[in-house]
């Protein structure tokens, strides 16, 4: 509700009307009094309640601790997806650097399953900032140079997203996650109605290869009944689509790069392949043979090799770093291989959580990935 010039005119007329020499009884029983009194009430309520379109959005981030000066807006907070179960998903939204009204909206999802789009996507990959010690530095490759970026921590239990009822975590699967993500978008557009008609893309990586197509399918089904989403496309980077095909390639990848021996490669493809191990791991039922195989694989690959990029350095303690176990001097562009540790430290600061309007519910620390 906001007051208008017409309301002010009516209020002025009211003052003039009351100043005339009418009896109080005549005034109170006048229809003119009633209508003008209502107008004055509207003015008073509007002013006293501070209702004004220029008021800042309640989720707006004033400034992240240690961030450099920027010209774009940031928002973060919660969208409740189930009032009965008290389930809420946390988001971080960064408007495009220039002319956000004309730029598309991108919903970014990381995978895992159970890994944070805030910690990985926003602060380690394609967001506007990277943590470095106590401060944030600009990411010159940030996607918000060309789009409005919306990072969602999903499902419940990931990052700052929470459910107060522990039974909610038991029921988490791909279908439940897709439904919650759909409810999140509906709730988010209530917070930001100006983006409802903006071209929407969903992008992500890893297990988002499951999250994204399933969410897009639900959105298309909803749109058949009522056009709620201006979905234009999806983008999947290095996605998990089929466990047997995607995960079992790890053995050949390690072997072909000389990271594991012939005998270990044979065990890793016949006795217990990687898709079987991952499946058992997420069911908390890792068999003895898979434990033996994975122990041998991890021993041979060692913690000094990045399993995703075997040519890259890894984040190790300062003592090991000084020993220079790995020192790829040929890399011209500086890559912060300790970005995950930096992000964990940054997002666990109380002043950072306060700035993000984030809460720790049911957990003591923010983690990159939740099991």
């Amino acid at each position: 509700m906001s007051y208008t010039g017409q309301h002010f005119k009516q209020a002025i007329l009211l003052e003039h009307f009351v100043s005339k020499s009418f009896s109080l009884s005549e005034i109170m029983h006048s229809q003119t009094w009633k209508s003008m009194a209502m107008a004055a009430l509207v003015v008073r309520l509007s002013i006293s309640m501070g209702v004004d379109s220029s008021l800042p959005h309640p989720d707006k981030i004033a400034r992240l601790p240690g961030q450099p000066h920027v010209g774009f807006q940031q928002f973060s907070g919660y969208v409740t997806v189930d009032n009965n179960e008290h389930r809420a998903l946390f988001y971080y939204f960064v408007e495009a650097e220039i002319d956000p009204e004309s730029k598309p909206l991108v919903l970014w999802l990381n995978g895992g399953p159970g890994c944070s789009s805030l910690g990985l996507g926003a602060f380690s990959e394609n967001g506007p900032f990277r943590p470095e010690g106590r401060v944030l530095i600009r990411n010159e490759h940030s996607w918000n140079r060309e789009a409005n970026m919306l990072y969602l921590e999903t499902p419940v239990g990931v990052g700052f997203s929470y459910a107060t009822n522990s039974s909610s975590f038991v029921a988490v699967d791909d279908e439940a996650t897709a439904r919650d993500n759909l409810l999140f978008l509906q709730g988010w557009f209530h917070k930001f109605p100006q983006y409802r008609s903006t071209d929407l893309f969903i992008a992500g990586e890893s297990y988002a290869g499951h999250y994204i197509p399933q969410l897009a399918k639900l959105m298309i089904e909803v749109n058949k009944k009522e056009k709620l989403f201006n979905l234009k496309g999806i983008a999947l980077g290095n996605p998990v689509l089929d466990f047997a095909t995607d995960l079992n390639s790890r053995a050949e990848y390690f072997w072909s790069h000389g990271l594991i021996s012939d005998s270990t490669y044979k065990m890793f493809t016949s006795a217990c392949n990687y898709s079987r191990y991952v499946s058992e791991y997420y069911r908390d039922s890792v068999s003895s043979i898979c434990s033996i195989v994975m122990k041998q694989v991890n021993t041979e690959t060692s913690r000094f090799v990045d399993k995703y990029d075997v040519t890259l350095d890894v984040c190790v303690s300062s003592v090991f770093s000084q020993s220079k176990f790995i020192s790829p001097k040929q890399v011209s562009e500086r890559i912060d291989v300790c970005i995950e540790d930096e992000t964990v430290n940054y997002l666990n600061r109380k002043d950072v959580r306060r700035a993000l309007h984030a809460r720790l519910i049911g957990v003591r620390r923010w983690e990159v990935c939740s099991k």
Side-chain angles (χ1 to χ4, degrees), residues 74-358:
Q74 307 171 79
F75 304 83
S76 61
Y78 290 91
V79 172
T80 300
V81 295
D82 189 326
N83 285 310
N84 294 329
E85 297 292 331
H86 301 288
R87 295 205 313 271
L89 297 181
F90 184 82
Y91 78 90
Y92 172 57
F93 175 52
V94 187
E95 288 190 331
E97 288 188 7
I98 301 174
D99 195 16
E101 295 82 5
S102 67
K103 301 294 175 62
L105 173 65
V106 175
L107 171 65
W108 176 268
L109 300 176
N110 277 90
C115 293
S116 165
S117 300
L118 174 68
L120 293 176
F123 283 99
S124 302
E125 297 173 333
N126 53 38
F129 306 116
R130 299 278 179 84
E132 189 174 85
R134 299 287 299 178
V135 301
L136 295 175
I137 59 174
R138 289 296 303 273
N139 173 18
E140 63 184 58
H141 304 295
S142 175
W143 283 22
N144 85 314
R145 289 179 178 269
E146 298 296 334
N148 300 286
M149 297 298 299
L150 174 58
Y151 300 91
L152 173 62
E153 291 195 306
T154 184
V156 290
V158 173
F160 293 122
S161 296
Y162 68 88
T164 56
N165 189 337
S166 59
S167 64
S168 295
F169 302 117
V170 179
V172 170
D173 57 21
D174 286 353
E175 289 186 8
T177 299
R179 288 194 300 270
D180 279 356
N181 292 345
L182 182 77
L183 291 170
F184 164 81
L185 277 177
Q186 291 175 319
W188 189 85
F189 281 123
H190 280 296
K191 285 176 176 273
F192 298 89
Q194 67 271 34
Y195 286 98
R196 193 181 296 276
S197 59
T198 301
D199 289 351
L200 172 62
F201 295 85
I202 313 176
E205 63 187 20
S206 185
Y207 200 78
H210 279 235
Y211 292 155
I212 292 174
Q214 293 184 45
L215 172 58
K217 180 176 180 288
L218 286 183
M219 294 168 71
I220 291 170
E221 290 174 354
V222 168
N223 277 351
K224 289 178 180 178
K225 300 176 182 178
E226 181 183 0
K227 184 67 180 295
L228 296 181
F229 306 105
N230 192 24
L231 181 63
K232 294 297 183 180
I234 65 174
L236 307 177
N238 191 28
V240 173
L241 298 174
D242 177 78
F243 268 44
T245 301
D246 297 338
L247 300 186
N248 291 339
S249 63
R250 175 169 289 213
E252 186 168 352
Y253 177 74
F254 286 171
W255 177 73
S256 65
H257 284 78
L259 299 178
I260 58 176
S261 64
D262 292 350
S263 59
T264 300
Y265 170 73
K266 185 176 181 179
M267 284 197 303
F268 204 17
T269 53
S270 57
C272 176
N273 59 36
Y274 195 55
S275 63
R276 173 182 169 183
Y277 168 75
V278 170
S279 177
E280 292 181 356
Y281 174 82
Y282 279 106
R283 294 200 307 267
D284 287 321
S285 59
V286 178
S287 61
S288 57
I289 185 61
C290 281
S291 294
I292 293 171
V293 171
M294 289 310 302
K295 181 179 180 180
Q296 185 62 28
V297 169
N298 290 332
T299 298
E300 293 185 11
T301 55
S302 85
R303 66 191 181 95
F304 299 111
V305 174
D306 187 318
K307 306 301 191 295
Y308 287 94
D309 185 350
V310 298
T311 66
L312 193 64
D313 202 350
V314 293
C315 184
V316 293
S317 69
S318 58
V319 174
F320 284 118
S321 295
Q322 292 169 20
S323 300
K324 296 183 179 178
F325 276 87
I326 302 174
S327 183
K329 299 182 184 298
Q330 72 277 13
V331 178
S332 58
E333 183 179 359
R334 178 178 176 274
I335 299 175
D336 184 1
V337 295
C338 292
I339 186 63
E340 183 174 312
D341 289 1
E342 300 265 19
T343 300
V344 170
N345 291 336
Y346 184 77
L347 292 178
N348 275 298
R349 286 168 48 179
K350 290 183 179 180
D351 59 339
V352 173
R353 291 203 305 269
R354 196 161 45 243
L356 287 168
H357 320 122

